[in-house]
Amino acid sequence: MISSERIPNNVDLSSNKRLQRALEHWQPKYLDWWRDMGPEGFQDHHQVFLRTAISVDPDGWANFEFVKLPDYRWGIFLTEFVADRTIGFGDSFGKPVWQEVPGEFRNQLRRLIVTQGDTEPASVEQQRQLGAKCPSLYDLRNLFQVNVEEGRHLWAMVYLLHSYFGRDGRDEAEELLARTSGNRDKPRILEAFNEPIDNWLDFFMFTMFTDRDGKSQLMSLSESSLDPLARTTRFMLTEEAHHMFVGETGISRILERTCQLMKESRGLAEDVRRQGGIELEMIQRHLNFWFSRSLDLHGSEVSSNAASYFANGLKGRAREETYEDHRITDAVYELEVYEDGRLSRQEVPMRNAMNEVLRDWYCGDCLAGVERWNKILEQYGFSDRLHLPDRKFGRGIGIFSGFYFDPKGNPVSAKEWERCKNDWLPAQADKDYLKSIMVEPVYKPGVFANYIAPPRRGINRMPIDYEYVRTEA
Ligand code: BYC
């Protein structure tokens, strides 16, 4: 039976019998999915030092305990209700927000919620084999924290589907457990969530760049006129911040170790490799891949879907309150386009360019992170730098897909692309090398794989050599 003890929540679950029954029906299927598709090899005999949200207060997060992964208490939380909240953008700007789904926007809202929901279990599936290759117990615990929170984000979207979309919503909730990342017949909806995450470099890049798309999309959904969606996504953002911390500091620590190995040698890639490290060029190739995949997640540059989401007040801009014009009926966006083999600029109605507006915000947020990484190279006295590739590079969605650009954004021929692509994007040789240095997991407290530096501090004031994941006797 679902109770506030089993499912921490602030939606008064026990007094809503219909919802309670629907979730009771869904929960065993979720747990079956978690056992089948969640972290492999860590379901039954391990206790993990995890934090569980038990309320939306700032100290609601301070709950750390050892739990078995399938026993994690996946909760349902919305940020506090704000009385008299009004619609912040679009054609109905200034009118009261909705507590129920308006019939005319039902399909669009369902589609947004399903797309968001689909990414959450997808990422757990993508990461399920990383435990057997972990660089330390500290990192293993962080991986599982990210995984259980993605599971909670799925609960958040399923809560909305069950509460506001009736039979259709319940069917969609089942489908969220039926699609699988990378499955040929029933893949996940968005492309990046079907890419394999085979190694910890991919994992850290994914949590840096793809989780950051999670941040930008959740920020825009948190402006929604559907108040329960806005409040749910607002709380999800607090967890997203931790995932990006894992990604950013994971790469920082790899970079730091690479710098140490470069110092010890002559700074050459082959020397870093000879000592079991990850050379800068390989880090850059993985950055290129996950950044461009995550750019794709923002959709096409010109999108009538995006225009309609904005007009209808379903999905706004990140930090909508910082803009002056919230209706933007006449404004235009100057877009870079590629036509007849030439790059030029074209004006498009701003509403149709909403995906691009969000992508601008996203690129700025990514750039700040890359600059923080470059400080490490600077501190070690190296002139090498990591770079974000141009946003036209390596795209599979939108107006630049189907064309070839180098990482600086210059058009190149198919032949040139073939010649250089292994310098620009991860190649099989990279995968093989990374596999070889991660083949032995590090399960000894306080010990770290040779390719990564220890973190600055442990979790929740525990020491770095704390046994964050324990094997049961
Ligand atoms: N791959 O007008 P278009 C996260 C489809 S991540 C495959 O270009 P639109 C997380 C599109 O669905 C955040 N298909 O795009 C991170 C449409 O298909 P239909 C997830 C794609 O609709 C890490 C067609 O192409 N949240 O939370 O303006 C770990 C034309 O669409 C892709 C959201 O995405 C793609 N990359 O915008 C865990 C928010 N891109 O309808 C979690 C909800 C587009 O013609 N989603 N398509 O069959 C949305 O707001 C929008 O659906 C999108 C696309 C921004 C994704």
Side-chain angles (χ1 to χ4, degrees):
M1 157 121 157
I2 290 186
S3 66
S4 54
E5 277 151 45
R6 187 83 188 91
I7 314 275
N9 70 86
N10 68 352
V11 294
D12 204 8
L13 198 54
S14 54
S15 72
N16 187 340
K17 294 291 170 221
R18 193 186 56 81
L19 177 61
Q20 193 170 345
R21 266 198 304 277
L23 288 174
E24 268 171 8
H25 192 67
W26 186 76
Q27 188 190 34
K29 296 177 187 172
Y30 170 80
L31 286 172
D32 285 348
W33 165 82
W34 177 268
R35 284 191 172 273
D36 289 348
M37 301 307 292
E40 198 174 282
F42 291 89
Q43 299 279 346
D44 293 314
H45 306 293
H46 294 82
Q47 299 270 354
V48 187
F49 187 64
L50 294 175
R51 66 173 190 176
T52 307
I54 53 158
S55 78
V56 293
D57 307 335
D59 58 357
W61 262 130
N63 254 275
F64 283 80
E65 56 188 353
F66 278 94
V67 277
K68 271 192 189 174
L69 289 179
D71 296 339
Y72 187 77
R73 300 192 310 146
W74 283 282
I76 298 171
F77 291 105
L78 278 65
T79 53
E80 293 303 336
F81 178 76
V82 176
D84 305 325
R85 199 184 140 229
T86 54
I87 294 175
F89 62 93
D91 293 341
S92 302
F93 176 69
K95 295 192 181 148
V97 291
W98 319 312
Q99 299 306 329
E100 293 293 334
V101 174
E104 65 269 42
F105 304 138
R106 191 180 165 89
N107 286 347
Q108 284 188 322
L109 278 164
R110 193 183 62 205
R111 187 178 135 135
L112 282 171
I113 292 168
V114 165
T115 309
Q116 177 64 49
D118 191 71
T119 62
E120 317 290 359
S123 68
V124 176
E125 292 162 358
Q126 286 171 294
Q127 297 163 15
R128 65 193 291 258
Q129 287 172 349
L130 291 176
K133 308 170 185 175
C134 70
S136 72
L137 283 187
Y138 165 91
D139 291 290
L140 186 64
R141 177 263 167 214
N142 280 349
L143 167 71
F144 295 153
Q145 183 72 56
V146 169
N147 291 163
V148 292
E149 286 172 6
E150 301 299 11
R152 203 200 70 73
H153 288 184
L154 171 61
W155 272 90
M157 292 301 112
V158 165
Y159 160 75
L160 293 175
L161 289 169
H162 276 175
S163 302
Y164 299 98
F165 294 89
R167 177 68 201 259
D168 296 354
R170 290 196 292 279
D171 289 348
E172 292 284 13
E174 308 264 313
E175 284 298 300
L176 286 171
L177 298 176
R179 287 183 289 270
T180 331
S181 175
N183 189 302
R184 226 181 37 182
D185 302 322
K186 266 189 166 241
R188 290 296 174 185
I189 296 171
L190 299 175
E191 212 177 12
F193 294 90
N194 289 304
E195 298 288 352
I197 300 183
D198 296 329
N199 60 66
W200 282 73
L201 184 56
D202 279 329
F203 171 66
F204 291 135
M205 288 296 181
F206 179 92
T207 36
M208 172 74 176
F209 292 111
T210 309
D211 275 276
R212 198 171 299 274
D213 169 59
K215 178 180 171 184
S216 55
Q217 298 295 340
L218 290 174
M219 284 177 85
S220 62
L221 291 174
S222 73
E223 303 289 341
S224 182
S225 314
L226 179 61
D227 200 38
L229 173 61
R231 290 169 56 210
T232 308
T233 45
R234 249 167 229 193
F235 187 67
M236 288 161 75
L237 278 163
T238 59
E239 286 147 324
E240 213 59 59
H242 173 256
H243 304 179
M244 287 177 295
F245 163 84
V246 169
E248 185 175 329
T249 56
I251 297 293
S252 296
R253 289 162 50 216
I254 289 180
L255 267 179
E256 192 169 342
R257 184 64 186 137
T258 300
C259 287
Q260 288 165 1
L261 294 173
M262 283 164 75
K263 278 272 170 204
E264 285 168 22
S265 60
R266 291 163 297 152
L268 298 177
E270 52 269 35
D271 291 328
V272 170
R273 269 207 201 203
R274 202 170 303 124
Q275 301 174 82
I278 306 179
E279 80 258 25
L280 287 180
E281 294 80 352
M282 200 185 293
I283 296 174
Q284 179 69 58
R285 285 194 285 278
H286 285 76
L287 185 164
N288 289 351
F289 177 79
W290 285 108
F291 177 66
S292 49
R293 274 291 155 281
S294 307
L295 287 178
D296 278 344
L297 288 175
H298 291 76
S300 305
E301 286 74 6
V302 183
S303 165
S304 56
N305 286 343
S308 157
Y309 295 153
F310 188 86
N312 297 338
L314 312 185
K315 188 180 171 197
R317 292 167 288 190
R319 303 221 160 84
E320 184 62 47
E321 78 282 0
T322 59
Y323 293 88
E324 268 175 27
D325 180 3
H326 298 291
R327 292 180 194 269
I328 46 171
T329 41
D330 307 322
V332 290
Y333 184 95
E334 204 185 280
L335 187 71
E336 186 173 28
V337 293
Y338 187 60
E339 275 171 358
D340 306 324
R342 280 187 44 245
L343 286 166
S344 59
R345 303 219 150 249
Q346 208 175 73
E347 285 189 347
V348 293
M350 181 73 86
R351 282 185 173 193
N352 290 68
M354 274 303 150
N355 289 340
E356 198 60 5
V357 171
L358 195 58
R359 200 168 4 242
D360 285 338
W361 184 90
Y362 171 80
C363 288
D365 211 45
C366 290
L367 185 62
V370 172
E371 280 167 1
R372 287 190 291 274
W373 286 341
N374 281 334
K375 292 236 160 57
I376 299 172
L377 290 163
E378 201 180 317
Q379 277 156 16
Y380 275 84
F382 292 110
S383 57
D384 311 72
R385 295 290 178 263
L386 293 173
H387 303 279
L388 287 180
D390 185 89
R391 58 166 93 185
K392 299 188 284 301
F393 170 81
R395 296 290 301 280
I397 297 281
I399 56 177
F400 302 116
S401 64
F403 300 107
Y404 299 108
F405 297 91
D406 69 14
K408 291 208 155 74
N410 304 307
V412 293
S413 65
K415 213 167 144 198
E416 179 74 353
W417 175 267
E418 265 317 301
R419 199 175 63 77
C420 298
K421 72 170 189 228
N422 289 350
D423 294 332
W424 294 336
L425 290 169
Q428 191 55 45
D430 293 338
K431 302 258 167 242
D432 294 345
Y433 175 72
L434 291 169
K435 193 171 167 193
S436 76
I437 60 169
M438 295 179 195
V439 79
E440 286 297 329
V442 181
Y443 294 143
K444 205 167 164 214
V447 178
F448 289 80
N450 186 41
Y451 61 85
I452 191 164
R456 297 259 177 274
R457 57 186 72 85
I459 313 286
N460 196 34
R461 298 199 197 86
M462 292 301 173
I464 289 170
D465 62 0
Y466 190 60
E467 194 175 0
Y468 289 104
V469 180
R470 294 179 183 161
T471 313
E472 284 185 338

